[in-house]
Amino acid sequence: MPNYTLYYFNGRGRAEILRMLMAVGGVQYTDKRFEFNEWDKYRNDMPSMCVPVLDIDGQNKMPETMAIARYLAREHGLYGKNNMDMFRIDYICDCFYEIMHDYMRYFHTKNGRFFENGKESEMNPATVIPYMQGRFMDTCRRVLPFLEKTLETKNGGNQFFMGDQMSLCDMMCYCCLENPMMENQSMFTSHPKLMALWKRVAAHPKITGYLKKRANTNW
Amino acid sequence: MPNYTLYYFNGRGRAEILRMLMAVGGVQYTDKRFEFNEWDKYRNDMPSMCVPVLDIDGQNKMPETMAIARYLAREHGLYGKNNMDMFRIDYICDCFYEIMHDYMRYFHTKNGRFFENGKESEMNPATVIPYMQGRFMDTCRRVLPFLEKTLETKNGGNQFFMGDQMSLCDMMCYCCLENPMMENQSMFTSHPKLMALWKRVAAHPKITGYLKKRANTNW
């Protein structure tokens, strides 16, 4: 097995899906975390000045959350059996990723950090924060009903998105909704199948142990 | 071969990579285009109220640009040969997609259209347009040097990202940079290998015919 190092901030954020995939795949890796105030030390060593990044054998630093996620999912049988399965898993994942992407941009705006260009300083926080929040909530309103309906098409929505086996997209459900649900559970109550799936993933034998021992951070 | 219908606005935008993949794969499909003022007629029929959408056999409407792109790329041998190839193709694609995503948000903001929530009306256009443009340009500045360097690692960057065969990520280079280059060529001159790749894709025997006969739109 290659020697993996995962680089990310000391938070769940965009990296948590990768840590969870490593846990389910039984992969050993170095979980390299740093604080926001250490970012300047790391930025220029990251391929596109972004994290998460997966380093393989100390030779190849690979960027892009979902590219890493799909690589790990293929490696560990969490990506379906044929092209149509992969298509379905992909669009479900990408819908969840839209939520995560808009949530992370809102979250970082709200916390006044992690901007590349400083342009935000020209923006009035009283305007831009509700704007980013509005964008995130619209994405939820647009995407969650579709995901609820999609889940229902297999086994009444009482197992996983692809049937009786957990796959990458179920894990995305867990990771992308975790922080949003902590902030505002009411947004999700009208999607009971997704809420139940969220708990089902958390209770999965390969996830539950990971969740118990993972680092405890507030995002 | 399934019966495909592709739904999108009457523009290249996020759908052009899909039309190009169809052309390279020799796939027949219905290219269903509509104007912005017709969007209300279509919105609720689209899975997550977004386009592009690929309909298969009139039964399954599938959303998410890159999920559709990867499905078509797998179907037509444009996605490499093994998991590590797919990983590389994926992260290169996702880097280009970051540019496209931020460009499209900037482009639509600038043109005052395509907002789901109307929150933009609370924002001052004189502030928000430069903000969106700044975000897009930062993404270019962050991502393009990495892509140029990545291209150079195979055959000196004088062929394609994965060597002598064109793949999905080369086509993403073409589609994602087309509008930005029309607007501001100078942003790309410091990336000569990418510029040459862009022209190489346009000159590819399976692309050149498509480019000649495609609908002529300004985005």
Side-chain angles (χ1 to χ4, degrees):
Chain A
M1 196 174 280
N3 219 324
Y4 292 121
T5 302
L6 180 66
Y7 290 87
Y8 194 64
F9 295 103
N10 183 25
R12 297 189 310 279
R14 296 177 194 255
E16 195 60 10
I17 181 65
L18 309 178
R19 298 189 187 113
M20 213 176 257
L21 284 161
M22 300 277 207
V24 171
V27 180
Q28 297 294 316
Y29 68 106
T30 304
D31 188 24
K32 180 68 199 156
R33 293 163 178 253
F34 38 84
E35 303 299 329
F36 282 106
N37 62 17
E38 298 175 287
W39 176 226
D40 281 348
K41 273 201 312 203
Y42 289 93
R43 188 200 314 260
N44 293 330
D45 282 342
M46 298 298 127
S48 56
M49 290 181 250
C50 247
V51 279
V53 157
L54 183 67
D55 183 286
I56 304 187
D57 291 330
Q59 293 175 327
N60 280 304
K61 283 199 171 68
M62 318 288 229
E64 293 294 341
T65 313
M66 292 312 293
I68 304 170
R70 287 189 294 269
Y71 163 76
L72 293 171
R74 279 187 297 263
E75 206 74 359
H76 300 287
L78 295 158
Y79 208 166
K81 292 186 178 68
N82 55 47
N83 195 4
M84 192 53 74
D85 284 359
M86 290 178 216
F87 189 4
R88 286 182 187 279
I89 291 169
D90 268 353
Y91 72 65
I92 295 164
C93 284
D94 286 358
C95 282
F96 281 119
Y97 191 79
E98 282 198 66
I99 293 177
M100 176 152 76
H101 186 68
D102 285 342
Y103 177 79
M104 292 307 297
R105 285 200 164 176
Y106 155 59
F107 179 83
H108 289 312
T109 306
K110 194 174 58 168
N111 290 286
R113 61 163 114 85
F114 195 40
F115 294 115
E116 302 100 322
N117 62 356
K119 285 258 185 260
E120 287 68 16
S121 57
E122 297 166 20
M123 307 276 285
N124 180 355
T127 318
V128 78
I129 294 169
Y131 170 74
M132 299 302 259
Q133 186 178 26
R135 214 178 233 302
F136 154 66
M137 288 174 69
D138 280 342
T139 300
C140 288
R141 272 186 225 110
R142 190 168 56 68
V143 158
L144 289 175
F146 167 64
L147 290 170
E148 179 86 1
K149 217 158 53 184
T150 301
L151 179 55
E152 282 172 351
T153 60
K154 289 260 183 187
N155 308 342
N158 297 317
Q159 291 189 303
F160 296 100
F161 270 111
M162 300 302 291
D164 60 356
Q165 295 297 312
M166 186 176 74
S167 67
L168 174 59
C169 55
D170 305 295
M171 297 165 69
M172 281 296 282
C173 171
Y174 187 86
C175 295
C176 296
L177 300 189
E178 187 165 18
N179 249 62
M181 278 172 61
M182 278 161 51
E183 278 191 28
N184 179 4
Q185 186 124 11
S186 70
M187 227 163 73
F188 302 92
T189 48
S190 45
H191 308 295
K193 298 285 182 188
L194 284 175
M195 299 271 289
L197 174 65
W198 194 88
K199 289 177 189 149
R200 200 171 301 123
V201 172
H204 187 281
K206 290 189 171 172
I207 302 277
T208 185
Y210 168 73
L211 293 180
K212 262 181 215 142
K213 71 179 191 2
R214 72 176 174 180
N216 190 15
T217 58
N218 67 357
W219 68 287
Chain B
M1 197 175 278
N3 219 325
Y4 292 121
T5 302
L6 179 66
Y7 290 86
Y8 193 63
F9 295 103
N10 183 24
R12 297 188 310 278
R14 295 179 195 253
E16 195 61 10
I17 181 64
L18 309 178
R19 299 191 186 112
M20 214 175 255
L21 284 161
M22 299 278 205
V24 171
V27 180
Q28 296 296 316
Y29 69 106
T30 304
D31 188 23
K32 181 67 199 156
R33 293 162 178 255
F34 38 83
E35 302 299 329
F36 281 107
N37 62 17
E38 298 176 287
W39 177 227
D40 281 348
K41 274 201 312 202
Y42 290 94
R43 186 200 318 257
N44 291 331
D45 282 342
M46 298 299 127
S48 57
M49 289 183 251
C50 246
V51 279
V53 158
L54 183 67
D55 183 285
I56 304 188
D57 292 330
Q59 294 175 327
N60 281 303
K61 284 199 170 69
M62 319 287 230
E64 293 294 342
T65 314
M66 292 313 294
I68 304 171
R70 286 189 294 268
Y71 163 75
L72 293 170
R74 279 189 296 263
E75 206 74 359
H76 300 288
L78 295 157
Y79 209 166
K81 294 187 177 65
N82 55 48
N83 195 6
M84 192 53 76
D85 284 358
M86 290 178 217
F87 189 4
R88 285 182 187 279
I89 291 170
D90 268 353
Y91 72 66
I92 295 165
C93 284
D94 286 357
C95 282
F96 281 119
Y97 191 79
E98 281 198 66
I99 293 177
M100 177 152 77
H101 186 69
D102 285 341
Y103 177 79
M104 292 307 297
R105 286 199 163 177
Y106 156 59
F107 180 83
H108 289 311
T109 306
K110 192 173 61 168
N111 290 285
R113 60 162 113 85
F114 195 40
F115 293 116
E116 301 101 323
N117 62 355
K119 285 255 186 265
E120 286 70 13
S121 59
E122 297 166 21
M123 306 276 283
N124 181 356
T127 319
V128 78
I129 294 169
Y131 169 74
M132 298 303 259
Q133 185 180 27
R135 213 177 234 303
F136 154 67
M137 288 174 69
D138 280 342
T139 300
C140 288
R141 271 186 226 111
R142 189 168 57 68
V143 159
L144 290 174
F146 166 63
L147 290 170
E148 179 86 1
K149 217 159 53 186
T150 302
L151 179 55
E152 282 172 349
T153 60
K154 288 259 183 186
N155 307 344
N158 296 317
Q159 292 190 304
F160 296 99
F161 270 110
M162 300 302 290
D164 60 356
Q165 296 295 312
M166 185 176 75
S167 69
L168 174 60
C169 55
D170 305 295
M171 297 165 69
M172 281 295 282
C173 171
Y174 187 86
C175 296
C176 297
L177 300 189
E178 187 166 17
N179 248 64
M181 277 171 64
M182 277 162 50
E183 278 190 30
N184 180 2
Q185 187 123 12
S186 71
M187 227 163 74
F188 302 93
T189 48
S190 46
H191 309 295
K193 299 284 184 188
L194 284 175
M195 298 273 286
L197 174 65
W198 195 88
K199 290 177 189 150
R200 198 172 301 122
V201 173
H204 188 279
K206 289 189 172 171
I207 302 277
T208 184
Y210 168 73
L211 293 180
K212 264 183 211 140
K213 70 177 191 5
R214 73 177 174 180
N216 190 15
T217 57
N218 68 356
W219 66 288

